[in-house]
Amino acid sequence: MAYAIPEGQVNVRHFLKLRSASIALAALIALSGCGSADDSSGITLLNVSYDPTRELYREVNAEFAKQWQQESGQRLTIKQSHGGSGSQARAVIDGLQADVVTLALAYDIDSIQRKGKRLGANWQTRFPSDSSPYSSTIVFLVRSGNPKGIRDWEDLVKPGIEVITPNPKTSGGARWNYLAAWGSQLHRDLQGDWSKLENPADPQVQAAQAAAEKFVQTIYRNAPVLDSGARASTNTFVQRSIGDVLLTWENEALLATQALGPGRVDIIVPSTSILAQTPVAVVDTVVDRRGTRQVAEAYLRYLYSPVGQEIAAKHHFRPSDQKSLEEHRDEFVELSLFTIDQAFGGWDRAHEAHFADGAIFDRITSVKDAQ
């Protein structure tokens, strides 16, 4: 199953090469698809997104552009850029002229604010549900018939199990995978009582954190390759037939089973996982300079509309609207979901403890590299 970048999408790797080579600003603007809002050819928006949203935004963009032209009389072109969420955020910080960002985790959009000063600090309060029009969770994709008998998180550390997951340094989905695994171990050891984490000096909590670190370290020891993004890991598992189990977004797993048809892969839903909220934001400095704020905000509001929520569900994302979610309850299996706030104290704490340079992820993978 191939996941080629559709024609007209922005290639971030190419963008970064141009930047490092000091290509003129005019070339950068042309690459980003930026033009004035009153350009005779119409309005252009650039949506910088993460890997598994390609199919979602292909349909959203077509439907919203049609609606916008009917309502305003203006022709709208929406260009897309896809890649690992962390890499996408860095590209925007470095100058990629995104009108909107639709990334895998709030930390990446916060980074754009802190380092690039491109949007307001209150960005997450501008749209409903913490600016997350849809969500997902982390599940397993296994070979047809589940020959290795993988049923829950603890099966991932059994001898001989190869785990496919992306690199948390570049992929938002990989960070959700990592935190879902860590949190699942905490959930088992603390018997689901997240309030115990409020006392980090408690010997039971310290033992649970140590067990979680050992658990996650073993998972990464069992990972033969760390791709840069979630879609690349899906390709590694599906196309290259590497690994016994893929840790992946629920929406990505459902898409893979739909595209491959029966008899190729199975989805395994673990007993507990993490609620993966995937937020959206308008990039203030870009839309104000280009005069595209009105259409950019309308574009993101469209994601919350009944049509937008239905499109999200169609592409296997969990709608934020409860009514829409209930209408698709048969597709989205109920399971115990914990939040990043419950298990890690929010994204800032999770990043500093686990993903910053020299933090836990670097420590556990350096041990693997040394072996």
Side-chain angles (χ1 to χ4, degrees):
M1 176 174 56
Y3 292 103
I5 297 177
E7 184 178 356
Q9 290 188 351
V10 175
N11 187 315
V12 171
R13 290 192 182 93
H14 184 50
F15 163 78
L16 292 174
K17 289 179 181 178
L18 290 180
R19 182 180 181 277
S20 64
S22 300
I23 297 297
L25 179 61
L28 175 61
I29 293 174
L31 173 65
S32 300
C34 296
S36 62
D38 60 352
D39 192 301
S40 60
S41 63
I43 304 175
T44 300
L45 291 181
L46 174 61
N47 176 3
V48 172
S49 195
Y50 65 107
D51 261 338
T53 63
R54 301 172 194 270
E55 295 78 14
L56 168 67
Y57 282 110
R58 189 177 301 140
E59 183 168 354
V60 166
N61 294 350
E63 293 301 317
F64 177 74
K66 186 192 310 179
Q67 175 179 299
W68 182 260
Q69 185 164 15
Q70 291 172 347
E71 294 179 351
S72 69
Q74 295 175 315
R75 186 169 65 84
L76 173 64
T77 300
I78 305 171
K79 294 191 175 183
Q80 285 294 136
S81 171
H82 294 279
S85 187
S87 298
Q88 296 290 79
R90 283 192 292 274
V92 174
I93 292 167
D94 289 344
L96 185 62
Q97 299 296 293
D99 296 272
V100 301
V101 288
T102 57
L103 296 178
L105 43 95
Y107 183 83
D108 287 334
I109 302 182
D110 282 334
S111 294
I112 296 171
Q113 162 57 21
R114 283 194 296 262
K115 299 176 183 178
K117 306 298 182 184
R118 294 181 173 271
L119 55 146
N122 68 335
W123 67 267
Q124 205 164 6
T125 66
R126 296 181 183 178
F127 297 96
S129 301
D130 295 326
S131 289
S132 299
Y134 45 80
S135 65
S136 190
T137 189
I138 303 304
V139 300
F140 309 156
L141 203 63
V142 299
R143 305 297 173 191
S144 181
N146 195 11
K148 294 296 182 76
I150 297 167
R151 299 296 179 190
D152 214 335
W153 290 100
E154 55 265 33
D155 295 322
L156 303 184
V157 296
K158 291 179 178 178
I161 300 295
E162 284 194 337
V163 180
I164 302 301
T165 183
N167 190 335
K169 290 290 189 177
T170 56
S171 167
R175 293 190 179 197
W176 287 116
N177 291 352
Y178 174 108
L179 296 176
W182 189 288
S184 73
Q185 181 66 41
L186 288 181
H187 186 271
R188 287 193 295 273
D189 287 347
L190 301 178
Q191 298 180 321
D193 187 356
W194 298 110
S195 67
K196 291 181 179 179
L197 295 175
E198 296 172 6
N199 183 12
D202 184 331
Q204 182 186 8
V205 172
Q206 292 181 340
Q209 295 286 16
E213 179 171 341
K214 182 178 180 181
F215 177 71
V216 172
Q217 182 179 49
T218 305
I219 289 176
Y220 281 92
R221 285 178 180 172
N222 291 348
V225 59
L226 297 179
D227 291 301
S228 62
R231 184 55 59 88
S233 284
T234 301
N235 287 341
T236 293
F237 185 77
V238 172
Q239 290 187 320
R240 299 169 61 194
S241 298
I242 296 175
D244 301 303
V245 56
L246 171 70
L247 305 189
T248 187
W249 301 97
E250 177 184 49
N251 55 280
E252 190 80 343
L254 289 166
L255 176 65
T257 57
Q258 176 181 305
L260 289 170
R264 295 287 302 278
V265 292
D266 294 334
I267 296 176
I268 302 298
V269 179
S271 60
T272 186
S273 194
I274 196 165
L275 175 64
Q277 289 185 295
T278 51
V280 302
V282 170
V283 183
D284 293 330
T285 58
V286 174
V287 298
D288 288 341
R289 178 179 58 78
R290 298 187 59 236
T292 54
R293 178 176 289 279
Q294 182 182 7
V295 63
E297 290 181 346
Y299 174 62
L300 295 187
R301 284 196 300 270
Y302 181 78
L303 298 173
Y304 293 90
S305 71
V307 175
Q309 293 284 282
E310 183 64 27
I311 294 174
K314 175 182 176 181
H315 291 278
H316 315 301
F317 294 86
R318 296 185 176 220
S320 62
D321 178 72
Q322 286 302 305
K323 181 180 177 181
S324 297
L325 180 60
E326 289 301 321
E327 290 174 353
H328 294 272
R329 180 53 65 191
D330 289 345
E331 178 176 355
F332 301 114
V333 176
E334 289 193 53
L335 70 160
S336 175
L337 294 174
F338 59 86
T339 68
I340 190 166
D341 290 337
Q342 287 176 311
F344 301 96
W347 268 114
D348 284 344
R349 289 185 179 181
H351 174 80
E352 290 305 315
H354 296 274
F355 307 120
D357 290 343
I360 294 174
F361 175 75
D362 284 348
R363 184 167 71 242
I364 64 176
T365 52
S366 66
V367 172
K368 174 185 175 180
D369 293 340
Q371 292 177 339

